[in-house]
PDB file of all heavy atoms in Angstrom:
ATOM      1  N   ILE A  13     -13.360  10.777 -98.187  1.00 96.00           N
ATOM      2  CA  ILE A  13     -14.287  10.394 -99.280  1.00 96.00           C
ATOM      3  C   ILE A  13     -15.142   9.198 -98.829  1.00 96.00           C
ATOM      4  O   ILE A  13     -16.375   9.195 -98.963  1.00 96.00           O
ATOM      5  CB  ILE A  13     -13.520  10.074-100.573  1.00 96.00           C
ATOM      6  CG1 ILE A  13     -12.853  11.320-101.112  1.00 96.00           C
ATOM      7  CG2 ILE A  13     -14.456   9.457-101.618  1.00 96.00           C
ATOM      8  CD1 ILE A  13     -11.906  11.073-102.264  1.00 96.00           C
ATOM      9  N   ALA A  14     -14.465   8.155 -98.303  1.00 96.00           N
ATOM     10  CA  ALA A  14     -15.183   6.959 -97.912  1.00 96.00           C
ATOM     11  C   ALA A  14     -16.162   7.246 -96.772  1.00 96.00           C
ATOM     12  O   ALA A  14     -17.283   6.722 -96.755  1.00 96.00           O
ATOM     13  CB  ALA A  14     -14.156   5.885 -97.511  1.00 96.00           C
ATOM     14  N   ASN A  15     -15.708   8.047 -95.819  1.00 94.00           N
ATOM     15  CA  ASN A  15     -16.493   8.282 -94.621  1.00 94.00           C
ATOM     16  C   ASN A  15     -17.748   9.115 -94.951  1.00 94.00           C
ATOM     17  O   ASN A  15     -18.865   8.829 -94.425  1.00 94.00           O
ATOM     18  CB  ASN A  15     -15.692   9.011 -93.552  1.00 94.00           C
ATOM     19  CG  ASN A  15     -16.173   8.721 -92.167  1.00 94.00           C
ATOM     20  OD1 ASN A  15     -16.054   7.625 -91.685  1.00 94.00           O
ATOM     21  ND2 ASN A  15     -16.727   9.738 -91.524  1.00 94.00           N
ATOM     22  N   MET A  16     -17.637  10.112 -95.793  1.00 95.00           N
ATOM     23  CA  MET A  16     -18.799  10.906 -96.163  1.00 95.00           C
ATOM     24  C   MET A  16     -19.822  10.096 -96.995  1.00 95.00           C
ATOM     25  O   MET A  16     -21.032  10.230 -96.796  1.00 95.00           O
ATOM     26  CB  MET A  16     -18.366  12.157 -96.944  1.00 95.00           C
ATOM     27  CG  MET A  16     -17.526  13.118 -96.089  1.00 95.00           C
ATOM     28  SD  MET A  16     -18.311  13.615 -94.542  1.00 95.00           S
ATOM     29  CE  MET A  16     -19.744  14.493 -95.157  1.00 95.00           C
ATOM     30  N   ALA A  17     -19.308   9.249 -97.911  1.00 96.00           N
ATOM     31  CA  ALA A  17     -20.196   8.395 -98.656  1.00 96.00           C
ATOM     32  C   ALA A  17     -20.908   7.412 -97.714  1.00 96.00           C
ATOM     33  O   ALA A  17     -22.121   7.138 -97.857  1.00 96.00           O
ATOM     34  CB  ALA A  17     -19.435   7.635 -99.722  1.00 96.00           C
ATOM     35  N   TYR A  18     -20.154   6.896 -96.774  1.00 95.00           N
ATOM     36  CA  TYR A  18     -20.732   5.951 -95.815  1.00 95.00           C
ATOM     37  C   TYR A  18     -21.838   6.620 -94.986  1.00 95.00           C
ATOM     38  O   TYR A  18     -22.876   6.022 -94.690  1.00 95.00           O
ATOM     39  CB  TYR A  18     -19.600   5.397 -94.912  1.00 95.00           C
ATOM     40  CG  TYR A  18     -20.139   4.452 -93.863  1.00 95.00           C
ATOM     41  CD1 TYR A  18     -20.336   3.092 -94.131  1.00 95.00           C
ATOM     42  CD2 TYR A  18     -20.397   4.914 -92.542  1.00 95.00           C
ATOM     43  CE1 TYR A  18     -20.769   2.239 -93.148  1.00 95.00           C
ATOM     44  CE2 TYR A  18     -20.832   4.047 -91.574  1.00 95.00           C
ATOM     45  CZ  TYR A  18     -21.030   2.733 -91.867  1.00 95.00           C
ATOM     46  OH  TYR A  18     -21.486   1.871 -90.896  1.00 95.00           O
ATOM     47  N   ALA A  19     -21.586   7.859 -94.578  1.00 92.00           N
ATOM     48  CA  ALA A  19     -22.570   8.612 -93.762  1.00 92.00           C
ATOM     49  C   ALA A  19     -23.899   8.744 -94.486  1.00 92.00           C
ATOM     50  O   ALA A  19     -24.977   8.685 -93.867  1.00 92.00           O
ATOM     51  CB  ALA A  19     -22.000   9.973 -93.390  1.00 92.00           C
ATOM     52  N   VAL A  20     -23.821   8.903 -95.817  1.00 92.00           N
ATOM     53  CA  VAL A  20     -25.071   9.034 -96.608  1.00 92.00           C
ATOM     54  C   VAL A  20     -25.902   7.759 -96.501  1.00 92.00           C
ATOM     55  O   VAL A  20     -27.101   7.760 -96.163  1.00 92.00           O
ATOM     56  CB  VAL A  20     -24.737   9.331 -98.073  1.00 92.00           C
ATOM     57  CG1 VAL A  20     -25.992   9.197 -98.945  1.00 92.00           C
ATOM     58  CG2 VAL A  20     -24.109  10.720 -98.210  1.00 92.00           C
ATOM     59  N   PHE A  21     -25.272   6.624 -96.809  1.00 92.00           N
ATOM     60  CA  PHE A  21     -25.997   5.348 -96.811  1.00 92.00           C
ATOM     61  C   PHE A  21     -26.380   4.887 -95.418  1.00 92.00           C
ATOM     62  O   PHE A  21     -27.420   4.284 -95.237  1.00 92.00           O
ATOM     63  CB  PHE A  21     -25.163   4.281 -97.530  1.00 92.00           C
ATOM     64  CG  PHE A  21     -24.952   4.583 -98.985  1.00 92.00           C
ATOM     65  CD1 PHE A  21     -23.676   4.826 -99.474  1.00 92.00           C
ATOM     66  CD2 PHE A  21     -26.027   4.661 -99.861  1.00 92.00           C
ATOM     67  CE1 PHE A  21     -23.459   5.103-100.824  1.00 92.00           C
ATOM     68  CE2 PHE A  21     -25.818   4.959-101.205  1.00 92.00           C
ATOM     69  CZ  PHE A  21     -24.552   5.177-101.687  1.00 92.00           C
ATOM     70  N   GLN A  22     -25.541   5.163 -94.429  1.00 89.00           N
ATOM     71  CA  GLN A  22     -25.888   4.829 -93.057  1.00 89.00           C
ATOM     72  C   GLN A  22     -27.126   5.621 -92.607  1.00 89.00           C
ATOM     73  O   GLN A  22     -28.012   5.075 -92.001  1.00 89.00           O
ATOM     74  CB  GLN A  22     -24.718   5.099 -92.108  1.00 89.00           C
ATOM     75  CG  GLN A  22     -24.999   4.643 -90.680  1.00 89.00           C
ATOM     76  CD  GLN A  22     -23.942   5.159 -89.735  1.00 89.00           C
ATOM     77  OE1 GLN A  22     -23.500   6.294 -89.762  1.00 89.00           O
ATOM     78  NE2 GLN A  22     -23.477   4.252 -88.840  1.00 89.00           N
ATOM     79  N   GLY A  23     -27.154   6.889 -92.931  1.00 85.00           N
ATOM     80  CA  GLY A  23     -28.312   7.721 -92.576  1.00 85.00           C
ATOM     81  C   GLY A  23     -29.573   7.204 -93.288  1.00 85.00           C
ATOM     82  O   GLY A  23     -30.637   7.119 -92.649  1.00 85.00           O
ATOM     83  N   LEU A  24     -29.476   6.876 -94.563  1.00 86.00           N
ATOM     84  CA  LEU A  24     -30.634   6.348 -95.280  1.00 86.00           C
ATOM     85  C   LEU A  24     -31.143   5.060 -94.628  1.00 86.00           C
ATOM     86  O   LEU A  24     -32.326   4.829 -94.502  1.00 86.00           O
ATOM     87  CB  LEU A  24     -30.234   6.057 -96.733  1.00 86.00           C
ATOM     88  CG  LEU A  24     -29.938   7.293 -97.624  1.00 86.00           C
ATOM     89  CD1 LEU A  24     -29.375   6.855 -98.958  1.00 86.00           C
ATOM     90  CD2 LEU A  24     -31.168   8.164 -97.822  1.00 86.00           C
ATOM     91  N   MET A  25     -30.182   4.226 -94.192  1.00 88.00           N
ATOM     92  CA  MET A  25     -30.519   2.951 -93.549  1.00 88.00           C
ATOM     93  C   MET A  25     -31.273   3.194 -92.234  1.00 88.00           C
ATOM     94  O   MET A  25     -32.321   2.582 -91.989  1.00 88.00           O
ATOM     95  CB  MET A  25     -29.279   2.120 -93.332  1.00 88.00           C
ATOM     96  CG  MET A  25     -29.530   0.750 -92.690  1.00 88.00           C
ATOM     97  SD  MET A  25     -29.561   0.815 -90.834  1.00 88.00           S
ATOM     98  CE  MET A  25     -27.884   1.293 -90.478  1.00 88.00           C
ATOM     99  N   TYR A  26     -30.735   4.094 -91.405  1.00 78.00           N
ATOM    100  CA  TYR A  26     -31.332   4.338 -90.122  1.00 78.00           C
ATOM    101  C   TYR A  26     -32.781   4.898 -90.276  1.00 78.00           C
ATOM    102  O   TYR A  26     -33.638   4.673 -89.430  1.00 78.00           O
ATOM    103  CB  TYR A  26     -30.504   5.323 -89.285  1.00 78.00           C
ATOM    104  CG  TYR A  26     -29.468   4.636 -88.432  1.00 78.00           C
ATOM    105  CD1 TYR A  26     -28.079   4.892 -88.606  1.00 78.00           C
ATOM    106  CD2 TYR A  26     -29.847   3.761 -87.428  1.00 78.00           C
ATOM    107  CE1 TYR A  26     -27.156   4.287 -87.815  1.00 78.00           C
ATOM    108  CE2 TYR A  26     -28.898   3.141 -86.645  1.00 78.00           C
ATOM    109  CZ  TYR A  26     -27.559   3.402 -86.852  1.00 78.00           C
ATOM    110  OH  TYR A  26     -26.607   2.797 -86.039  1.00 78.00           O
ATOM    111  N   GLY A  27     -32.985   5.640 -91.337  1.00 65.00           N
ATOM    112  CA  GLY A  27     -34.348   6.208 -91.538  1.00 65.00           C
ATOM    113  C   GLY A  27     -35.375   5.197 -91.948  1.00 65.00           C
ATOM    114  O   GLY A  27     -36.549   5.487 -92.021  1.00 65.00           O
ATOM    115  N   THR A  28     -34.939   3.958 -92.261  1.00 77.00           N
ATOM    116  CA  THR A  28     -35.831   2.942 -92.759  1.00 77.00           C
ATOM    117  C   THR A  28     -35.918   1.706 -91.881  1.00 77.00           C
ATOM    118  O   THR A  28     -36.961   1.075 -91.757  1.00 77.00           O
ATOM    119  CB  THR A  28     -35.372   2.504 -94.166  1.00 77.00           C
ATOM    120  OG1 THR A  28     -35.199   3.639 -95.000  1.00 77.00           O
ATOM    121  CG2 THR A  28     -36.391   1.571 -94.832  1.00 77.00           C
ATOM    122  N   ARG A  29     -34.819   1.400 -91.226  1.00 80.00           N
ATOM    123  CA  ARG A  29     -34.766   0.117 -90.482  1.00 80.00           C
ATOM    124  C   ARG A  29     -35.840  -0.001 -89.417  1.00 80.00           C
ATOM    125  O   ARG A  29     -36.454  -1.052 -89.271  1.00 80.00           O
ATOM    126  CB  ARG A  29     -33.361  -0.040 -89.830  1.00 80.00           C
ATOM    127  CG  ARG A  29     -33.183  -1.358 -89.119  1.00 80.00           C
ATOM    128  CD  ARG A  29     -31.794  -1.469 -88.496  1.00 80.00           C
ATOM    129  NE  ARG A  29     -31.549  -0.438 -87.540  1.00 80.00           N
ATOM    130  CZ  ARG A  29     -30.535  -0.444 -86.682  1.00 80.00           C
ATOM    131  NH1 ARG A  29     -29.691  -1.470 -86.718  1.00 80.00           N
ATOM    132  NH2 ARG A  29     -30.364   0.511 -85.802  1.00 80.00           N
ATOM    133  N   SER A  30     -36.068   1.073 -88.650  1.00 71.00           N
ATOM    134  CA  SER A  30     -37.052   0.984 -87.586  1.00 71.00           C
ATOM    135  C   SER A  30     -38.451   0.696 -88.108  1.00 71.00           C
ATOM    136  O   SER A  30     -39.187  -0.072 -87.515  1.00 71.00           O
ATOM    137  CB  SER A  30     -37.102   2.312 -86.796  1.00 71.00           C
ATOM    138  OG  SER A  30     -35.896   2.557 -86.124  1.00 71.00           O
ATOM    139  N   ALA A  31     -38.758   1.223 -89.301  1.00 70.00           N
ATOM    140  CA  ALA A  31     -40.060   0.973 -89.886  1.00 70.00           C
ATOM    141  C   ALA A  31     -40.226  -0.529 -90.269  1.00 70.00           C
ATOM    142  O   ALA A  31     -41.304  -1.096 -90.117  1.00 70.00           O
ATOM    143  CB  ALA A  31     -40.270   1.841 -91.141  1.00 70.00           C
ATOM    144  N   ILE A  32     -39.146  -1.154 -90.696  1.00 77.00           N
ATOM    145  CA  ILE A  32     -39.180  -2.586 -91.033  1.00 77.00           C
ATOM    146  C   ILE A  32     -39.502  -3.389 -89.786  1.00 77.00           C
ATOM    147  O   ILE A  32     -40.319  -4.312 -89.818  1.00 77.00           O
ATOM    148  CB  ILE A  32     -37.819  -3.004 -91.633  1.00 77.00           C
ATOM    149  CG1 ILE A  32     -37.687  -2.482 -93.078  1.00 77.00           C
ATOM    150  CG2 ILE A  32     -37.691  -4.543 -91.625  1.00 77.00           C
ATOM    151  CD1 ILE A  32     -38.513  -3.179 -94.072  1.00 77.00           C
ATOM    152  N   MET A  33     -38.854  -3.047 -88.694  1.00 77.00           N
ATOM    153  CA  MET A  33     -39.092  -3.768 -87.459  1.00 77.00           C
ATOM    154  C   MET A  33     -40.525  -3.576 -86.958  1.00 77.00           C
ATOM    155  O   MET A  33     -41.110  -4.483 -86.367  1.00 77.00           O
ATOM    156  CB  MET A  33     -38.122  -3.362 -86.376  1.00 77.00           C
ATOM    157  CG  MET A  33     -36.624  -3.479 -86.758  1.00 77.00           C
ATOM    158  SD  MET A  33     -36.211  -5.006 -87.606  1.00 77.00           S
ATOM    159  CE  MET A  33     -36.584  -6.225 -86.360  1.00 77.00           C
ATOM    160  N   MET A  34     -41.107  -2.408 -87.229  1.00 69.00           N
ATOM    161  CA  MET A  34     -42.497  -2.177 -86.832  1.00 69.00           C
ATOM    162  C   MET A  34     -43.416  -3.065 -87.669  1.00 69.00           C
ATOM    163  O   MET A  34     -44.481  -3.517 -87.165  1.00 69.00           O
ATOM    164  CB  MET A  34     -42.883  -0.722 -87.031  1.00 69.00           C
ATOM    165  CG  MET A  34     -42.211   0.211 -86.048  1.00 69.00           C
ATOM    166  SD  MET A  34     -42.617   1.961 -86.408  1.00 69.00           S
ATOM    167  CE  MET A  34     -41.447   2.794 -85.339  1.00 69.00           C
ATOM    168  N   ASP A  35     -43.028  -3.353 -88.910  1.00 73.00           N
ATOM    169  CA  ASP A  35     -43.870  -4.182 -89.766  1.00 73.00           C
ATOM    170  C   ASP A  35     -44.045  -5.592 -89.210  1.00 73.00           C
ATOM    171  O   ASP A  35     -45.088  -6.220 -89.444  1.00 73.00           O
ATOM    172  CB  ASP A  35     -43.272  -4.264 -91.182  1.00 73.00           C
ATOM    173  CG  ASP A  35     -43.423  -2.983 -91.947  1.00 73.00           C
ATOM    174  OD1 ASP A  35     -44.256  -2.147 -91.522  1.00 73.00           O
ATOM    175  OD2 ASP A  35     -42.741  -2.809 -92.973  1.00 73.00           O
ATOM    176  N   VAL A  36     -43.039  -6.144 -88.543  1.00 77.00           N
ATOM    177  CA  VAL A  36     -43.110  -7.499 -88.040  1.00 77.00           C
ATOM    178  C   VAL A  36     -43.425  -7.540 -86.537  1.00 77.00           C
ATOM    179  O   VAL A  36     -43.391  -8.580 -85.932  1.00 77.00           O
ATOM    180  CB  VAL A  36     -41.768  -8.249 -88.307  1.00 77.00           C
ATOM    181  CG1 VAL A  36     -41.522  -8.362 -89.783  1.00 77.00           C
ATOM    182  CG2 VAL A  36     -40.636  -7.571 -87.604  1.00 77.00           C
TER     183      VAL A  36
END
């Protein structure tokens, strides 16, 4: 349960973090 929930939020994070770094 914990691992599948974590996979959701980790995936969401990876899909956004690179764009933040491009902004700066």
